[in-house]
Amino acid sequence: MTDVPPWTTAATTLADKVTAGAPAWHDAVSNTPRHQLVPRWWQPIPNSPKREWELVSLPEGSTELLTAAYTDATLVTRVGPLHADQAAKGERGAGDPTSSSTLPGLIVSMADRLRVEPGDRVLDVGTGSGYSAALFAHRFGDEFVTSVDVDPYLVEAARARLASFGRTPHMEALDATGELPDDDYDRIMATVAVRPVPASWLRALRPGGRLVTTIAHTALLITADMGPDGVARGGVQPDPATFMETRQNADYPPKLNDLFVSARVREGDDVRTPDGPIPDLWQEWPLRWLYELDTPGVETRSAVYPDGRRVVWLLAADGSWARAEDAESPTVHQGGPRRLWDNLEGVRRRWDENDRFPLHDMRAEISPEGSRLLAPTGKWDLPI
């Protein structure tokens, strides 16, 4: 009798959990050695003022490694420009995650929504650890899967690790917002967030083909089918999904920390009482995402002070800023060339006028000439 490697039991347990609603993917999950694709990763250091990360490097084949690798959780593999594979023992990462192995349950959910049929050509945007490419290749065949990532190291590492257990999809290092390796795909799934949806994806997607992606700086998961007129139509899915944005460089642009320091204490050029309650944008996430669609690229921050005051900041790269203090006498300070809090209140009023529809009721129309989300009332379109 052939001994069964310990990881297969862990992988099968994971498959039982994450494919309950998508049983066709059970075999792929239970036969994909995720621990080989993610041998090391970063975990955040709690309460670190510099947002530092410590390296997790567990013994090969250990129970601890298998337990972590086959948990339905995201494992961050790259922080700033530093990949966990390339970190020295004891070295710390700092900054924002720039690559990860996404939680398997989300990958399975998105892949199931893609509705791949045997013989379909699949483009996997955002190779990362190679896990999603491994699942597609296991189920549909290596020759039908192409996986791309902007980071050459990620692509080469994933290629070698996939090959070690017999998976050989086509893989390339390139900026997926530009030209693609081919111009003829039946299915495109992105585990990086975009805005706009690149025109090259739409040109490459066959009529009748399907696209699954997320909109940058939101958790809006879009599924759309390509029509004969070159427009992909679909909608927002009920369950949210958050991914890192596509990048062209080794790291993302720095946060607006200098502007934040100023906005924390500065008197605004415009000071007034807010129009309605100050929202908690981390709890009222539909409003936060509608605001992002309407006024893209605004950083949101918040704090609760010991005296109970809750403060929300809005920051933009052009120097615009707003500070809203939810105190006994709520006050809004605004400065810079734009009035960011006015914009937020305008979005809230517009949403109220449209009966505060659930975001998953929005329809999507995506084309190379311009894409939009349409409110179910038919009275509000938002560009994406």
Side-chain angles (χ1 to χ4, degrees):
M1 179 181 295
T2 303
D3 290 336
V4 177
W7 72 265
T8 60
T9 300
T12 299
T13 300
L14 175 65
D16 292 343
K17 176 181 179 180
V18 302
T19 69
W25 289 94
H26 189 280
D27 187 64
V29 174
S30 60
N31 285 281
T32 297
R34 191 184 185 215
H35 69 289
Q36 292 181 221
L37 297 171
V38 197
R40 310 170 94 199
W41 61 91
W42 297 104
Q43 66 181 16
I45 297 173
N47 304 315
S48 169
K50 297 181 180 179
R51 297 172 55 249
E52 290 182 307
W53 303 68
E54 63 181 353
L55 185 66
V56 179
S57 182
L58 300 171
E60 184 177 355
S62 66
T63 300
E64 294 82 3
L65 174 61
L66 297 184
T67 298
Y70 296 99
T71 298
D72 188 24
T74 293
L75 300 177
V76 173
T77 53
R78 193 174 184 274
V79 176
L82 184 59
H83 197 286
D85 291 346
Q86 300 165 327
K89 185 177 180 180
E91 188 172 6
R92 291 185 171 184
D96 288 330
T98 48
S99 190
S100 68
S101 180
T102 302
L103 67 164
L106 178 55
I107 296 296
V108 168
S109 174
M110 292 176 65
D112 194 55
R113 283 195 168 95
L114 204 59
R115 296 182 185 172
V116 183
E117 298 291 338
D120 282 348
R121 300 190 64 209
V122 177
L123 177 64
D124 168 48
V125 181
T127 301
S129 69
Y131 187 71
S132 53
L135 297 185
F136 283 124
H138 180 94
R139 186 171 173 199
F140 299 105
D142 299 291
E143 66 272 27
F144 296 105
V145 179
T146 297
S147 185
V148 298
D149 200 291
V150 73
D151 189 323
Y153 174 76
L154 293 177
V155 171
E156 289 309 312
R159 191 199 311 275
R161 287 166 179 164
L162 288 166
S164 71
F165 55 89
R167 295 268 64 93
T168 57
H170 178 67
M171 307 181 75
E172 286 197 29
L174 52 80
D175 177 1
T177 63
E179 294 307 309
L180 300 174
D182 206 341
D183 58 0
D184 195 16
Y185 295 99
D186 300 284
R187 301 288 188 268
I188 299 176
M189 187 177 92
T191 52
V192 290
V194 294
R195 185 175 184 190
V197 176
S200 58
W201 298 11
L202 301 169
R203 290 194 299 267
L205 190 60
R206 292 176 180 172
R210 172 162 283 207
L211 167 70
V212 176
T213 189
T214 52
I215 305 303
H217 304 295
T218 77
L220 300 177
L221 176 62
I222 306 294
T223 300
D225 297 319
M226 178 57 71
D229 58 354
V231 179
R233 295 177 174 86
V236 177
Q237 297 302 305
D239 43 340
T242 303
F243 287 100
M244 301 167 201
E245 187 180 6
T246 51
R247 56 183 171 83
Q248 284 71 48
N249 300 307
D251 199 355
Y252 295 110
K255 298 290 186 181
L256 301 173
N257 292 333
D258 290 343
L259 182 60
F260 176 56
V261 169
S262 173
R264 291 183 66 179
V265 296
R266 186 175 172 184
E267 184 77 7
D269 303 326
D270 175 75
V271 183
R272 62 174 176 83
T273 300
D275 180 12
I278 293 174
D280 183 343
L281 295 176
W282 280 259
Q283 296 297 322
E284 300 180 52
W285 47 262
L287 175 60
R288 181 181 177 185
W289 297 339
L290 287 170
Y291 179 54
E292 168 62 29
L293 295 176
D294 178 84
T295 310
V298 175
E299 280 189 29
T300 55
R301 305 192 189 191
S302 70
V304 178
Y305 288 104
D307 61 4
R309 285 184 302 131
R310 185 169 56 86
V311 185
V312 177
W313 292 271
L314 306 176
L315 311 167
D318 66 358
S320 301
W321 61 275
R323 182 179 74 251
E325 300 180 6
D326 189 14
E328 184 174 344
S329 299
T331 306
V332 173
H333 294 254
Q334 300 184 92
R338 291 183 290 158
R339 296 294 177 256
L340 299 181
W341 200 264
D342 291 0
N343 294 344
L344 176 62
E345 291 180 340
V347 169
R348 182 166 59 186
R349 285 193 298 272
R350 194 79 184 268
W351 193 29
D352 287 339
E353 292 165 0
N354 283 266
D355 303 321
R356 287 202 160 224
F357 55 84
L359 268 56
H360 62 260
D361 284 350
M362 300 184 84
R363 294 178 292 115
E365 291 184 356
I366 304 171
S367 77
E369 287 71 39
S371 303
R372 58 184 182 157
L373 292 178
L374 299 85
T377 60
K379 300 177 181 178
W380 193 12
D381 295 356
L382 288 156
I384 56 174

